[in-house]
Amino acid sequence: MIDFISKSREATDAGSERQAVRSLPFSRRSFLIKTSCFGAFYAVAKLIPLPALAAELAGDSRVSATPIVDKGFASVRQIGNGLYATISDPSKGNTTLCNGGFLVGRDAALLLEGFTTTVGAAFQMETLRTISQVPVKAAVDTHYHFDHSMGNAFYGANGVPLWAHATTAKRIVDSYSPMQGADKEAVLGPLEKRVRDAKSDVERAHAQSDLNAVTGLFQIANSSVLGLPNHPLDPAKLPISIDLGGLTAVLESYPGHSGTDIVVRVPDQKIVYTGDLLFSGWYPVCFDEKATISGWRDTLKKFASFDKDTLFVPGHGQICGQEGIASIREVFDDIAGQAEKMFKAGVPAEEAQHRYVVPDKFKNFPIFAWGFTIGPAFTKLYAEWQAGKT
Ligand SMILES: [Zn+2]
């Protein structure tokens, strides 16, 4: 993503900008129609609505049978004593996109995530206020990605301290400010070229999924005012315990998804808010320059070692138990298994990633975009193997 943006910036000099405009594969009108078609953004997720809560979780005494509020784009459900989960359904809009939640003690509350929009962050805060009037101690961004941070300005406007991994603020600025005010065609041109130049229908579909994703990101970045965390959490000083009054949350840092990942655990109730270290029933998004496949698989192994009755609130997808951890580990095993065969056969990573076949058992798992999930997983696995770190 960073590479992509910096290349786009280079392309804004006059000559290459004209080139980008000339090389557009669609007329301006059909291009605009296309982009607005994908305005809902998660093109795949649009087709695959959020699954209902699994029967065994609906029977879990910690989890309320019905949500306390359901807005379509997200619903909020009690999942423990003073613990709530905000679960997004991206097939119904961009307001939140990611999951979040809040923790309510006797003395204070903690809000999780800035979501994609300030409206999303406000929705969660308003829902908290239907439950409790305790002061909000802080909001936490589990990591810097846009769908967890673009609504941060709501916290700034409402005097809510915003906590996050120490490098989150810098990564928000470095990743998203270059898109703001940038020429749209210069940003999207290289991706449109990839669609046009694709060597096969499969490669074209993959390139189109990347174009859809970046189109959505561009729209969101340009309709948001960036809000930055004002309370950096030094990972070397984690874990830390936060006492909310009869409810203790523990903030921990693990490698894997973004290099800025913070997990919020409530050990007394065996509940973990994982951020994007867990995609539940989704393919994992691995594109980040700080994402590490081996690190992420180790983190998931660690989650698998938590108590068998642990309830996980993932960054995306439905609330799950240990079966959700087992499932995402299987997805990683499958990606690594297919990649390894091609690595050993000498197939270059760039070609191999397009040959990955989604097994039947994962065919309903949304893929955010090929170049944000399978593609970088292959590239990173290849790099790890080439470095001899199998
Ligand atoms: Zn993420």
Side-chain angles (χ1 to χ4, degrees):
M1 177 53 69
I2 302 288
D3 280 356
F4 162 70
I5 293 170
S6 57
K7 273 179 206 130
S8 310
R9 296 291 273 185
E10 284 158 25
T12 53
D13 70 77
S16 49
E17 189 169 323
R18 272 195 302 278
Q19 178 63 38
V21 172
R22 257 203 313 275
S23 64
L24 275 176
F26 321 111
S27 71
R28 185 166 178 82
R29 186 178 147 70
S30 76
F31 175 72
L32 290 172
I33 290 167
K34 237 176 212 313
T35 52
S36 62
C37 279
F38 292 109
F41 190 49
Y42 273 31
V44 174
K46 256 175 99 171
L47 306 174
I48 306 173
L50 184 77
L53 201 62
E56 58 269 29
L57 288 186
D60 187 313
S61 63
R62 292 169 291 184
V63 179
S64 68
T66 50
I68 55 173
V69 58
D70 188 347
K71 291 273 192 183
F73 62 80
S75 62
V76 178
R77 185 188 298 270
Q78 187 166 10
I79 56 165
N81 190 8
L83 304 179
Y84 298 82
T86 301
I87 302 298
S88 289
D89 182 348
S91 72
K92 300 202 175 91
N94 292 345
T95 310
T96 45
L97 278 187
C98 76
N99 296 334
F102 47 88
L103 298 76
V104 189
R106 236 183 2 254
D107 307 325
L110 202 60
L111 291 158
L112 305 183
E113 306 295 12
F115 300 105
T116 313
T117 64
T118 53
V119 176
F123 156 69
Q124 182 166 266
M125 176 81 163
E126 284 159 15
T127 308
L128 162 66
R129 284 295 174 237
T130 67
I131 306 286
S132 166
Q133 301 305 315
V134 294
V136 175
K137 188 177 182 69
V140 179
D141 284 353
T142 60
H143 62 297
Y144 84 91
H145 287 160
F146 75 96
D147 49 330
H148 301 252
S149 67
M150 287 284 178
N152 281 347
F154 169 81
Y155 298 124
N158 287 276
V160 175
L162 184 55
W163 297 7
H165 185 286
T167 56
T168 294
K170 179 174 174 6
R171 299 220 53 209
I172 289 172
V173 172
D174 289 352
S175 304
Y176 306 124
S177 64
M179 280 201 167
Q180 297 188 314
D183 183 88
K184 186 175 186 177
E185 284 158 4
V187 172
L188 300 179
L191 289 155
E192 289 163 350
K193 186 173 184 323
R194 271 185 46 215
V195 174
R196 199 174 56 250
D197 294 349
K199 291 196 288 285
S200 67
D201 288 347
V202 168
E203 284 188 30
R204 187 167 300 107
H206 295 167
Q208 184 68 51
S209 72
D210 297 347
L211 174 60
N212 298 346
V214 178
T215 301
L217 173 56
F218 184 86
Q219 287 167 345
I220 289 166
N222 278 285
S223 55
S224 305
V225 173
L226 301 182
L228 305 181
N230 65 345
H231 182 105
L233 300 166
D234 179 351
K237 293 183 182 152
L238 298 181
I240 53 166
S241 290
I242 312 296
D243 181 6
L244 301 171
L247 175 59
T248 300
V250 182
L251 274 52
E252 301 174 344
S253 167
Y254 293 97
H257 173 68
S258 73
T260 60
D261 302 297
I262 300 288
V263 160
V264 180
R265 279 178 84 180
V266 182
D268 291 350
Q269 300 191 48
K270 299 175 186 170
I271 287 177
V272 186
Y273 297 86
T274 64
D276 282 3
L277 287 167
L278 174 59
F279 282 74
S280 172
W282 281 61
Y283 268 83
V285 170
C286 303
F287 77 94
D288 201 282
E289 62 181 19
K290 299 284 186 192
T292 145
I293 306 298
S294 57
W296 197 340
R297 292 172 89 187
D298 286 348
T299 295
L300 291 168
K301 193 172 173 186
K302 172 85 180 162
F303 290 173
S305 75
F306 291 174
D307 189 279
K308 68 177 172 43
D309 295 325
T310 302
L311 203 59
F312 295 93
V313 179
H316 297 274
Q318 191 51 275
I319 302 166
C320 61
Q322 283 288 2
E323 80 290 344
I325 302 296
S327 169
I328 187 80
R329 292 182 78 196
E330 259 190 88
V331 170
F332 270 112
D333 290 348
D334 182 66
I335 294 171
Q338 293 194 39
E340 192 178 11
K341 274 190 201 136
M342 290 187 256
F343 178 75
K344 286 183 172 158
V347 182
E350 174 53 31
E351 186 184 332
Q353 57 148 309
H354 293 298
R355 289 202 210 164
Y356 174 79
V357 178
V358 174
D360 254 11
K361 64 193 300 191
F362 303 134
K363 71 178 188 310
N364 286 331
F365 281 37
I367 296 173
F368 171 54
W370 202 265
F372 288 71
T373 51
I374 314 292
F378 267 64
T379 315
K380 285 168 188 283
L381 283 164
Y382 265 57
E384 286 181 9
W385 291 326
Q386 272 151 357
K389 290 186 288 183
T390 46

